[in-house]
Amino acid sequence: MRGNPLKIFFAVFIGLPIVATVILQLFGTVMMVSVAHQVQSGGSDADRPVKSKYKVDNVQGDRSLRAGFKALSNVSALSEDRQVSVSTQVALKDLLDPGEAKPDPDFAHVFVKARAPRLAKEECARLRKTLASECVVERATAGKAYDGLYRVSMTLNFIQRDSFGEVEQADTHSYHEIRERLPISGRTIKAMPASAGKKREALYAEAARLCSKLRASEGNCAIYHVQVSERADRKSSAVELSGHVRLSFLQKSAGF
Amino acid sequence: MKHLGAIAVLAASLFTLGCAEEEIIPQSDPNQFLRSDIRGFKTTPGIAVGPAHELHWIQEAVQGYTPTDFKDVPATLNIVSPMISCYFREPAEGEKLAKVYVGRGQVRTPVFAASKQTIAKRVEDWIEHYKVRGNRVTSRASVNSDSMKLVDVIVTDTSAPLYLVLQAETGNTLWNLNLTEGVELAHVAVIGQGATGVANIDESIPIEFMNNQAADECGVIPVRKPADHWLFVQRAKADKSSVYKDAMKKNKEMYKKYATWFERSFNVPSEKSVIGLNEASHFIVGPLPETMGARVTYKPLKDAHVKIASETFIIATNKATYVKEHDALISGHVMKLVGGDLSTLSTDS
């Protein structure tokens, strides 16, 4: 490149920054428009576009689109944005097949890890009975807990069984999330480890009822996260269950 | 640079091997192969360690020395139970205590050992991998870590019946005894972590092992007294951070605990007259032979009889068979844990 040094100086230090600034501003404008029509999400789903037929003005979270919005935008597909997280406490004996001997103590925690996917599939069956039309296991693992119990953690993705509902016609909508404790009474539920599955099933059913109630009043509702955890009751051999459900829905924006 | 010493020693050994009829001792000073290590000094295979870190060529102490390799499969493995008590039998009157210590051995052998905990961890890794990948996993066998490391002990002290204490800080140590004529071994006490064995020991010599569960329950971990020549100690002095300070405190506590146990067990301090190095392959207990002809003929691991304190998985074989046997063991555990059906590990509903 031959030329006046002064021209080169202006080109590099003045011209280039101006061009870069203009490009960035244009890019920003395009992105803002795109949020309303076809929103790009961040995080693990960063590169996956979320298409929504609704124009919504408050769905951007700290780093990405809110999970609940992504979940309601595509209610008929399995998604990592719609999940059930369960942390349960199990006794080793409850995982044995009929007539199966206990594993060597050094292999006990590995045994529970090996049986964790089986438990997660059973949990999917509970979800299908209560709130899901489809369910897949995303992850199932285990570790030692207390008093001879083992903690099994599982993450399940699901499609909700009940329909999303109706969204009132409007130019723009506002997005809402609700978090409710499970059970809704706020009290923990006690159960023996072997029967805790039935109690969890009841909590899932409660989550589905809460969503139905919301659908009745707001027209629509999506369950996008259910979390249930158990901890050992130090005074007995029972476990205590508690959790929460996160629901999302759309409303016609006020003032439009 | 790091391997120059080993190459020089190997070259010297090969040169010596080439002159099998007239074994030649390398002329260079073996002390040049003493190096500082994290927890003491280290040297390379081919160099034997005497008292006070005095180094000698292995050929000065034995004749017919050949470096051990994976072809040197022993004749028998005799699995013995480790002791139950926390203390060895005390040295009797007239017995002379000889203490040998190694942080870790260097020479890999075709004796492979893995503890139940190690196997359980490998089974766990296999299962977790399968859950994610959904296919069979590559071998979890580890030649490096499972291969027991050979440490030669050349005993030349004929001054009194010897009570030999063999101490290894890390696991999988296989001691190989070479006794000069006239040596009387009254008792052998072996302390270590993981698999611990002794090769070429006469059946008549009483031997006790303390490792694994017994060592854990008794809190016995052979640890040397931190000294200024340790790189770890030097770093701790140079770097005043709490990480080094805490680590140094922990090391001192571990040493104190071991020293207390040792003195109670053998009635002498652990550090007194100990022959040891953090990393080495040969030790000499007693004086160097006065003449070439007085040297003991080296007893190799090949075709030796070996006593090993129990481990879950022990096998003396070539590398390929070790991997095959190891993987069969892992697969057997996996199938048992999944109730005979690998598809239960799948997350597909």
Side-chain angles (χ1 to χ4, degrees):
Chain A
M1 181 179 170
R2 285 188 305 168
N4 186 331
L6 201 61
K7 282 183 183 173
I8 295 171
F9 175 83
F10 274 107
V12 171
F13 292 102
I14 309 289
L16 275 180
I18 289 171
V19 171
T21 308
V22 170
I23 289 171
L24 282 173
Q25 280 183 347
L26 279 172
F27 181 72
T29 308
V30 169
M31 287 304 290
M32 283 169 71
V33 170
S34 140
V35 165
H37 297 280
Q38 178 179 311
V39 193
Q40 301 286 336
S41 66
S44 59
D45 297 328
D47 301 326
R48 200 177 52 190
V50 173
K51 289 182 181 173
S52 174
K53 56 184 176 181
Y54 311 111
K55 288 179 184 176
V56 183
D57 53 13
N58 63 335
V59 293
Q60 190 68 36
D62 291 342
R63 299 173 69 183
S64 63
L65 278 179
R66 292 183 180 181
F69 178 73
K70 287 195 278 181
L72 69 71
S73 296
N74 200 2
V75 287
S76 58
L78 288 164
S79 161
E80 288 175 11
D81 297 312
R82 195 181 306 108
Q83 59 180 218
V84 173
S85 316
V86 181
S87 175
T88 179
Q89 308 266 332
V90 296
L92 194 141
K93 65 179 172 59
D94 295 331
L95 301 177
L96 295 168
D97 289 333
E100 186 178 18
K102 273 189 176 181
D104 182 299
D106 284 312
F107 287 82
H109 71 287
V110 191
F111 171 78
V112 182
K113 282 191 168 185
R115 301 290 162 109
R118 196 190 280 190
L119 290 182
K121 286 172 197 168
E122 288 170 11
E123 206 65 17
C124 260
R126 290 188 185 99
L127 286 180
R128 284 192 205 95
K129 276 191 197 172
T130 49
L131 60 79
S133 60
E134 275 188 53
C135 174
V136 293
V137 179
E138 183 186 314
R139 182 178 147 272
T141 189
K144 278 183 185 169
Y146 299 100
D147 298 332
L149 293 178
Y150 291 84
R151 176 184 44 75
V152 174
S153 303
M154 52 189 103
T155 306
L156 316 166
N157 301 144
F158 68 98
I159 296 174
Q160 79 180 42
R161 192 171 61 185
D162 296 336
S163 69
F164 172 58
E166 298 298 325
V167 178
E168 205 175 339
Q169 284 286 340
D171 287 340
T172 58
H173 294 87
S174 58
Y175 168 76
H176 301 273
E177 289 177 357
I178 287 179
R179 180 185 185 276
E180 288 287 353
R181 292 178 72 169
L182 290 175
I184 198 152
S185 67
R187 293 191 206 105
T188 56
I189 301 170
K190 277 192 184 180
M192 294 309 287
S195 58
K198 288 205 165 174
K199 302 288 182 187
R200 291 196 299 275
E201 193 175 308
L203 293 182
Y204 303 146
E206 195 167 339
R209 278 197 299 276
L210 281 168
C211 199
S212 296
K213 210 171 158 186
L214 196 63
R215 194 175 298 111
S217 63
E218 305 299 333
N220 60 78
C221 173
I223 302 170
Y224 72 93
H225 189 220
V226 178
Q227 191 248 317
V228 177
S229 59
E230 295 171 10
R231 61 190 180 91
D233 175 20
R234 297 293 173 88
K235 294 173 189 165
S236 68
S237 50
V239 291
E240 293 180 334
L241 293 88
S242 63
H244 65 255
V245 56
R246 289 178 188 273
L247 310 169
S248 58
F249 63 96
L250 291 177
Q251 273 184 333
K252 181 176 151 184
S253 278
F256 287 92
Chain B
M1 285 301 287
K2 190 181 166 187
H3 302 295
L4 276 182
I7 292 166
V9 173
L10 182 66
S13 301
L14 289 173
F15 177 70
T16 309
L17 277 174
C19 309
E21 288 300 312
E22 282 184 48
E23 210 169 15
I24 293 175
I25 297 170
Q27 292 303 302
S28 55
D29 180 7
N31 287 293
Q32 67 182 297
F33 297 107
L34 189 68
R35 300 269 189 275
S36 288
D37 200 3
I38 295 292
R39 301 174 63 77
F41 285 125
K42 67 176 175 184
T43 188
T44 52
I47 308 287
V49 184
H53 305 144
E54 194 178 284
L55 301 185
H56 307 279
W57 293 103
I58 180 77
Q59 293 87 351
E60 292 179 75
V62 297
Q63 53 183 308
Y65 169 72
T66 52
T68 302
D69 67 23
F70 283 112
K71 293 189 198 85
D72 294 329
V73 180
T76 60
L77 288 185
N78 181 9
I79 312 300
V80 296
S81 299
M83 58 195 283
I84 299 164
S85 164
C86 283
Y87 297 97
F88 291 93
R89 89 131 164 87
E90 286 187 12
E93 202 175 325
E95 286 175 358
K96 185 177 176 182
L97 202 70
K99 296 169 282 184
V100 178
Y101 169 94
V102 69
R104 59 178 178 271
Q106 301 159 313
V107 178
R108 294 184 299 175
T109 69
V111 181
F112 300 93
S115 67
K116 199 193 280 182
Q117 290 77 13
T118 301
I119 295 296
K121 181 74 180 74
R122 290 176 187 168
V123 170
E124 182 180 346
D125 290 346
W126 197 106
I127 286 170
E128 290 302 312
H129 185 101
Y130 194 95
K131 278 186 199 174
V132 177
R133 299 283 176 88
N135 56 18
R136 284 189 179 270
V137 190
T138 51
S139 175
R140 290 290 197 250
S142 173
V143 170
N144 260 343
S145 66
D146 289 359
S147 166
M148 294 189 74
K149 310 300 179 296
L150 195 78
V151 178
D152 293 314
V153 180
I154 301 135
V155 188
T156 60
D157 188 346
T158 56
S159 64
L162 293 181
Y163 186 126
L164 188 60
V165 183
L166 304 173
Q167 311 156 78
E169 186 172 336
T170 56
N172 282 10
T173 306
L174 180 51
W175 302 92
N176 183 32
L177 298 186
N178 280 265
L179 311 183
T180 303
E181 187 149 348
V183 168
E184 188 186 339
L185 269 191
H187 198 82
V188 179
V190 192
I191 310 155
Q193 304 290 310
T196 303
V198 178
N200 288 311
I201 182 167
D202 194 276
E203 270 301 315
S204 63
I205 298 170
I207 184 166
E208 289 179 291
F209 289 94
M210 180 186 279
N211 67 331
N212 294 346
Q213 196 179 344
D216 285 348
E217 285 173 4
C218 302
V220 177
I221 303 170
V223 176
R224 297 291 306 270
K225 185 179 184 181
D228 286 344
H229 67 270
W230 291 22
L231 293 180
F232 167 65
V233 173
Q234 289 169 13
R235 282 174 199 168
K237 283 184 178 175
D239 185 334
K240 303 290 181 194
S241 71
S242 61
V243 176
Y244 277 108
K245 200 175 164 188
D246 293 346
M248 178 58 82
K249 190 181 167 196
K250 195 178 168 192
N251 265 269
K252 284 180 177 170
E253 283 168 1
M254 284 169 72
Y255 161 67
K256 198 174 168 188
K257 190 175 179 185
Y258 183 67
T260 304
W261 170 86
F262 192 97
E263 190 151 358
R264 185 170 166 197
S265 200
F266 301 109
N267 301 322
V268 289
S270 63
E271 286 290 307
K272 191 183 174 187
S273 309
V274 64
I275 300 165
L277 222 61
N278 190 45
E279 196 176 315
S281 301
H282 326 279
F283 292 92
I284 306 172
V285 177
L288 275 181
E290 287 181 0
T291 63
M292 294 283 273
R295 294 173 304 162
V296 64
T297 300
Y298 182 72
K299 286 184 177 174
L301 179 63
K302 187 176 170 62
D303 299 330
H305 297 285
V306 176
K307 283 189 175 179
I308 288 188
S310 65
E311 279 289 294
T312 299
F313 174 65
I314 303 175
I315 185 170
T317 185
N318 59 54
K319 280 195 270 189
T321 308
Y322 147 73
V323 172
K324 197 175 158 190
E325 295 282 324
H326 172 279
D327 291 354
L329 179 76
I330 299 291
S331 295
H333 279 296
V334 169
M335 291 310 287
K336 199 173 166 190
L337 293 174
V338 299
D341 182 3
L342 267 183
S343 71
T344 60
L345 287 179
S346 158
T347 50
D348 295 338
S349 301

